[in-house]
Amino acid sequence: MAINNETRVTQFILLGLSSNPNVQIVFFLLLLVIYLLTVAGNLLILITIYVDSQLHSPMYFFLCNLSCLDLGFSTVAVPKFLVNFMSQSKTISFNDCIAQVFFLHFFGGTECFHLSLMAYDRYVAICYPLRYTMIMNKQACLLLVASTWVLGFIHALAQAFPATQLPFCGPNEINHFFCDAHPLSVLACSSTFISEIADMINSGILTLICFLVVSISYTYIISTVLKIRSAEGRQKAFSTCASHLLVVTLFFVPLVFMYMRPPVTLAGDKLISGFYTIITPVLNPFIYTLRNEKVKKAMKKLGGRTHMN
């Protein structure tokens, strides 16, 4: 389609991780197994918490929401990646590419805010145990979770909308396995310096806010836990936070590497991106179930009910 004597790109080619057919087969099988485990693990957490009334508390409500986010985050990138492994063209339309940018940042940004919310929840539970049920009541929990989705939506809009305004006249090969703001802007026909700096500031503010909330929450948590006299009490308090801290670390470290830096392309970008879009969503269910006795008991009970039926 000719626009202002330029040919507008209507689709892009995702180069993926490798062009070697044998390597692609190995990646396809490995990725398929990981994605199926991601779906099964997060659905199991959702079903377990829904069925067991003893898990109907703010902490597990937030865990349910995290599982929903992990499912969405992984599903935005992985199925298209799997299809491309088996396809000759490996193309994605312009509209689908922009949609992928939006939903990746929507689920990813929302998860950043949500992990901060989970840190605040642990802060209230440990520092103000007697007032916990009053502070984290049902209405407050719903409002807080809704706010993370709204903030994630705003962040995603700020990332995706500038990409729709860029002129693309070729080439159309994206050196990635999904569409993201920076790999896409590299292909633009005009200067993207200002838009990329704006994107970095947007992601930087999001990361900074979440980092501050998590840091302040855990500073107070550690200070409070160290004042507990019994070793058993300290161990129990720390164990309730260990899973969340591990998840936060696994999620935030790759994101900081990818988005809190000048807009340049590095050799390891695709592998780092694969970690937070593919690996982290499959690890989260295992991290929370392996370290949480209540969830493990509820899953065993659910397994017993299924076997009896």
Side-chain angles (χ1 to χ4, degrees):
M1 184 171 66
I3 298 179
N4 297 331
N5 296 324
E6 292 182 343
T7 302
R8 181 176 176 83
V9 170
T10 58
Q11 64 180 14
F12 298 97
I13 299 172
L14 295 169
L15 296 182
L17 295 177
S18 174
S19 58
N20 187 313
N22 294 326
V23 174
Q24 286 186 356
I25 292 173
V26 174
F27 276 137
F28 174 81
L29 294 174
L30 181 62
L31 189 61
L32 180 62
V33 170
I34 291 174
Y35 182 65
L36 292 176
L37 285 173
T38 301
V39 174
N42 284 289
L43 284 179
L44 181 59
I45 284 182
L46 289 170
I47 294 169
T48 301
I49 294 175
Y50 176 78
V51 170
D52 197 315
S53 59
Q54 292 185 348
L55 300 180
H56 291 179
S57 65
M59 176 181 173
Y60 297 104
F61 171 64
F62 296 143
L63 181 55
C64 275
N65 196 60
L66 180 63
S67 290
C68 290
L69 290 169
D70 280 335
L71 280 171
F73 198 32
S74 183
T75 300
V76 171
V78 177
K80 179 62 179 175
F81 195 18
L82 288 170
V83 170
N84 282 352
F85 275 127
M86 309 304 293
S87 172
Q88 292 283 336
S89 61
K90 306 185 188 306
T91 59
I92 183 170
S93 70
F94 177 83
N95 290 335
D96 287 348
C97 189
I98 297 299
Q100 198 172 54
V101 173
F102 174 83
F103 283 107
L104 275 167
H105 284 276
F106 175 51
F107 287 114
T110 303
E111 186 158 337
C112 284
F113 288 118
H114 189 69
L115 288 171
S116 303
L117 172 57
M118 293 177 75
Y120 173 73
D121 172 68
R122 292 299 84 207
Y123 157 73
V124 176
I126 292 173
C127 298
Y128 301 97
L130 299 179
R131 298 171 56 193
Y132 178 71
T133 54
M134 182 180 68
I135 296 173
M136 302 302 289
N137 56 64
K138 185 177 181 180
Q139 184 177 1
C141 289
L142 289 172
L143 184 62
L144 287 169
V145 167
S147 68
T148 64
W149 287 84
V150 171
L151 289 170
F153 178 84
I154 294 170
H155 165 71
L157 203 61
Q159 290 291 111
F161 180 74
T164 65
Q165 307 304 303
L166 294 174
F168 296 98
C169 49
N172 67 336
E173 292 184 341
I174 298 177
N175 188 23
H176 217 305
F177 61 90
F178 61 78
C179 289
D180 202 357
H182 174 65
L184 193 60
S185 65
V186 169
L187 303 179
C189 302
S190 61
S191 173
T192 60
F193 178 77
I194 294 177
S195 64
E196 290 200 334
I197 292 298
D199 288 343
M200 190 176 71
I201 292 172
N202 176 26
S203 298
I205 291 174
L206 181 152
T207 307
L208 181 62
I209 291 172
C210 295
F211 177 77
L212 286 175
V213 172
V214 172
S215 299
I216 293 170
S217 296
Y218 274 99
T219 298
Y220 281 105
I221 287 171
I222 293 170
S223 176
T224 302
V225 170
L226 291 176
K227 294 176 184 177
I228 299 175
R229 294 183 179 180
S230 68
E232 183 181 353
R234 287 196 298 270
Q235 184 178 1
K236 185 178 179 181
F238 273 125
S239 66
T240 61
C241 302
S243 298
H244 180 256
L245 270 177
L246 181 56
V247 169
V248 166
T249 303
L250 291 174
F251 189 76
F252 272 98
V253 170
L255 285 182
V256 169
F257 177 82
M258 288 298 299
Y259 296 105
M260 290 288 291
R261 73 180 198 211
V264 294
T265 301
L266 301 178
D269 283 357
K270 287 188 278 188
L271 292 177
I272 298 297
S273 299
F275 192 86
Y276 63 79
T277 55
I278 299 170
I279 304 301
T280 302
V282 74
L283 288 180
N284 286 353
F286 291 101
I287 292 171
Y288 278 107
T289 54
L290 289 176
R291 296 190 60 88
N292 194 303
E293 291 297 327
K294 283 188 176 181
V295 175
K296 285 194 286 188
K297 288 179 182 178
M299 285 183 175
K300 288 179 181 178
K301 191 188 299 182
L302 179 64
R305 289 177 184 176
T306 305
H307 181 71
M308 288 176 63
N309 293 334

